[in-house]
């Protein structure tokens, strides 16, 4: 009864409920909107973004990074130089770090998400929910219902498995049959940068001007602002306000 009072949409699966943990301080949001707004703010502050540029390799010497070889949109190679370099390439970080002798224990773990249109439907939950038994999460994004989860070990393959996608829809429609139009669901797969202990790699490397901010697994956006704050303090030579001794 208390669960349904918090989220009335749970009444459609009352007979499946054993109990619930309510964390009122938790919330969900639109990571894409956040990122685009952050990009716009960064541009206002003078940041230059280079789109459609492929990173080829780090130019490393004994104890410093001397530059970065990239190939621009015209196919020409450039040698970019900076005071400091931050590797924040998620699952692809090890590919750039290995040639310069840095072992980053990160493995790509594929996760799936489905987006369902809720227009005209009344049974979609509003609260951010986690199905502990199936390891799935559910979020309401405006007129869309987002279902995400699963962990698939397939290297850097981002192709979409119909079986995995069907499992997302089957579970959601079982719990909330009137949440949305499941027949028109859109699917997406991405690679989570997982570390063995699920702890990200943040901070210095053996190169004096090379830093890491990667390996956040399923908590990339959750930990993004805190990670960036700590790293900015570290690069600036200041003691981080947050205690990141274990990272």
């Amino acid at each position: 009864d208390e669960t349904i009072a918090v989220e009335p949409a749970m009444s459609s699966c009352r007979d499946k409920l054993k109990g619930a943990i309510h964390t009122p301080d938790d919330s969900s949001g639109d990571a894409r909107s956040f990122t685009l707004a952050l990009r716009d703010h960064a541009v206002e502050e003078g940041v230059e973004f280079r789109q459609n540029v492929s990173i080829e390799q780090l130019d490393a010497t004994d104890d410093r990074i001397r530059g970065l070889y990239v190939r621009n949109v015209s196919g020409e190679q450039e040698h970019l130089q900076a005071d400091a370099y931050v590797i924040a390439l998620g699952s692809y970080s090890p590919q750039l770090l290995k040639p310069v002798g840095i072992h980053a224990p990160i493995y790509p773990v594929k996760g799936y998400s489905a987006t369902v249109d809720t227009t005209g439907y009344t049974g979609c939950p509003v609260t951010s929910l986690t199905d502990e038994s199936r390891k799935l999460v559910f979020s309401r994004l405006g007129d869309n219902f987002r279902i995400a989860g699963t962990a698939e070990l397939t290297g850097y393959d981002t192709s979409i498995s119909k079986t995995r996608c069907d499992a997302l829809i089957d579970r959601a429609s079982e719990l909330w049959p009137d949440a949305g139009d499941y027949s028109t669901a859109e699917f997406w797969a991405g690679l989570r940068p997982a570390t063995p202990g699920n702890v990200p790699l943040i901070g210095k490397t053996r190169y004096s001007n090379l830093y890491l901010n990667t390996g956040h697994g399923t908590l990339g956006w959750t930990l993004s602002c805190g990670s960036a704050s700590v790293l900015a303090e570290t690069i600036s030579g200041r003691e981080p306000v947050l205690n990141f001794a274990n990272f």
Side-chain angles (χ1 to χ4, degrees), residues 112-114 136 147-150 164-172 187:
Y112 288 79
S113 70
L136 299 177
I147 309 148
T150 78
R164 298 275 186 176
C165 295
D166 288 346
L168 297 180
I169 296 301
D170 289 347
R171 182 56 168 172
F187 300 99

Side-chain angles (χ1 to χ4, degrees), residues 31-246:
R32 182 176 185 273
S33 295
F34 173 86
T35 304
L36 291 176
L38 183 61
R39 184 271 316 273
D40 292 343
H41 177 69
V43 169
E44 292 175 0
E45 293 295 319
V47 174
E48 177 188 354
F49 288 91
R50 299 285 301 275
Q51 304 293 337
N52 300 313
V53 173
S54 60
I55 305 169
E56 295 191 329
Q57 68 181 65
L58 292 167
D59 179 13
T61 184
D62 292 337
D63 63 347
R64 288 183 62 81
I65 301 299
R66 295 183 297 186
L68 186 70
Y69 288 106
V70 303
R71 197 162 297 277
N72 62 32
V73 69
S74 301
E76 302 168 334
Q77 189 182 68
E78 293 183 70
H79 186 257
L80 304 180
Q81 293 182 304
D83 295 328
Y85 303 82
V86 177
I87 305 301
L89 291 171
S91 295
Y92 298 90
S93 299
Q95 296 182 352
L96 195 63
L97 292 168
K98 185 177 180 180
V100 296
I102 295 179
H103 173 61
I106 296 171
Y107 191 86
V109 179
K110 189 194 299 187
Y112 288 79
S113 70
T115 303
V116 177
D117 184 8
T118 65
T119 305
Y121 291 80
T122 59
C124 184
V126 176
T127 309
S128 178
L129 299 169
T130 300
D131 182 345
E132 285 291 341
S133 63
R134 304 292 177 87
K135 303 297 186 237
L136 299 177
V137 293
F138 309 90
S139 297
R140 181 74 172 270
L141 294 173
D143 292 330
N144 290 320
F145 183 36
R146 176 66 55 77
I147 309 148
T150 78
E152 193 174 29
L153 303 179
T154 57
Y156 288 92
D157 172 24
T158 56
S159 62
I160 293 178
S161 163
K162 184 179 184 301
T163 301
R164 298 275 186 176
C165 295
D166 288 346
L168 297 180
I169 296 301
D170 289 347
R171 182 56 168 172
S173 59
E174 176 189 350
L175 298 174
W176 304 286
D178 193 41
D181 185 359
Y182 291 108
S183 66
T184 60
E186 297 180 0
F187 300 99
W188 177 85
L191 303 176
R192 310 182 189 99
T195 62
N198 206 32
V199 176
L201 310 178
I202 304 169
K204 301 176 181 180
T205 69
R206 66 183 182 86
Y207 295 98
S208 60
N209 60 341
L210 180 66
Y211 302 85
L212 304 183
N213 187 11
T214 185
H216 292 72
T218 61
L219 298 175
W221 188 28
T222 305
L223 301 178
S224 61
C225 292
S227 300
S229 174
V230 167
L231 190 62
E233 295 293 321
T234 301
I235 294 173
S236 301
R238 297 188 292 267
E239 187 69 25
V241 176
L242 298 175
N243 180 12
F244 263 49
N246 294 326

